Amino acid sequence: GEEVAQTPKHLVRGEGQKAKLYCAPIKGHSYVFWYQQVLKNEFKFLISFQNENVFDETGMPKERFSAKCLPNSPCSLEIQATKLEDSAVYFCASSQTQGITDTQYFGPGTRLTVL
Amino acid sequence: AQSVSQHNHHVILSEAASLELGCNYSYGGTVNLFWYVQYPGQHLQLLLKYFSGDPLVKGIKGFEAEFIKSKFSFNLRKPSVQWSDTAEYFCAVTGGYNKLIFGAGTRLAVHP
């Protein structure tokens, strides 16, 4: 597609429950980035992929967060045993290449609320 | 570590007023700089970007930004704002592996 698609739009979980978010990059884009925006503050980078390979995971909390990009499937970000502080909007972005002149196109985000 | 700071958190202007939003970054090497805009209820969209060359960059919707290396700044400007410019504006710099490092954002409200 011509836009980055993210599902669901909203997700509500009780503390300790699992949350799974999905992202379909723009067709033909090889790079996918996940960002977390807490309480309308700045975006925090989580992880990026080059096709199905992890490109950079320096922002990922290792304990409860995991992510995958499998061939012919949307990318996913999963949070095991959610905590209150995981409440945020999670944005996915894609770019065609990793060239420094390449633009990242953002999806509409998934708002996760942990109660 | 790289960081971006945006000085104004909230700006309120009347239509036709001029706009300047401040952005400073901390990084000693080559930088790639961006301004993104998020209109109410919409996605983040790219306004403009700077990689090299002319430090005055023109973007969409009449926006421009000037890269001043000596001041580590990349301020966003528009000579005459419209009500439709009401949005949140984010300055960003590319970090390692091309991840974006964002500032906290500036919320702009334009009154008719």
Side-chain angles (χ1 to χ4, degrees):
Chain A
E2 291 299 315
E3 290 189 339
V4 175
Q6 288 189 250
T7 55
K9 266 186 148 172
H10 301 279
L11 190 57
V12 180
R13 289 289 179 265
E15 239 189 324
Q17 290 185 316
K18 185 172 76 175
K20 197 163 184 180
L21 293 61
Y22 297 91
C23 167
I26 293 171
K27 196 176 176 182
H29 282 197
S30 303
Y31 290 83
V32 170
F33 301 78
W34 284 97
Y35 296 89
Q36 178 195 53
Q37 186 187 30
V38 178
L39 290 176
K40 298 295 278 182
N41 287 339
E42 55 254 52
F43 293 75
K44 180 193 168 195
F45 167 77
L46 294 175
I47 190 169
S48 61
F49 287 83
Q50 177 188 11
N51 297 312
E52 55 266 30
N53 304 306
V54 173
F55 189 57
D56 177 7
E57 58 182 348
T58 51
M60 273 294 257
K62 292 283 198 284
E63 287 176 354
R64 299 178 294 107
F65 284 62
S66 63
K68 289 180 195 174
C69 278
L70 300 174
N72 303 313
S73 295
C75 296
S76 63
L77 176 70
E78 190 167 335
I79 310 172
Q80 301 285 343
T82 51
K83 294 185 177 179
L84 294 175
E85 68 242 33
D86 298 330
S87 294
V89 181
Y90 291 82
F91 288 94
C92 170
S94 72
S95 67
Q96 199 165 20
T97 72
Q98 62 123 349
I100 59 168
T101 60
D102 211 359
T103 297
Q104 290 182 29
Y105 295 88
F106 281 77
T110 293
R111 181 177 296 277
L112 171 66
T113 302
V114 181
L115 303 173
Chain B
Q2 291 157 299
S3 66
V4 176
S5 67
Q6 293 183 238
H7 319 299
N8 320 99
H9 295 292
H10 289 96
V11 172
I12 301 172
L13 294 173
S14 298
E15 273 193 320
S18 65
L19 170 72
E20 181 158 1
L21 301 182
C23 171
N24 285 91
Y25 63 91
S26 67
Y27 184 62
T30 303
V31 285
N32 307 308
L33 294 154
F34 305 80
W35 276 97
Y36 278 85
V37 62
Q38 190 172 29
Y39 297 104
Q42 293 191 28
H43 309 185
L44 269 179
Q45 298 172 39
L46 181 70
L47 269 182
L48 47 79
K49 59 186 179 184
Y50 171 80
F51 294 106
S52 63
D54 189 343
L56 186 61
V57 180
K58 303 280 188 190
I60 60 171
K61 304 188 183 191
F63 285 91
E64 65 179 31
E66 186 173 12
F67 170 56
I68 303 179
K69 191 175 180 179
S70 59
K71 294 185 178 180
F72 297 91
S73 70
F74 189 57
N75 291 355
L76 181 72
R77 299 194 293 243
K78 186 170 183 178
S80 174
V81 293
Q82 301 170 309
W83 176 78
S84 57
D85 293 323
T86 294
E88 189 143 18
Y89 293 81
F90 293 91
C91 181
V93 63
T94 307
Y97 294 96
N98 281 358
K99 59 178 166 279
L100 289 171
I101 297 163
F102 287 88
T106 297
R107 189 163 294 181
L108 172 66
V110 180
H111 293 294

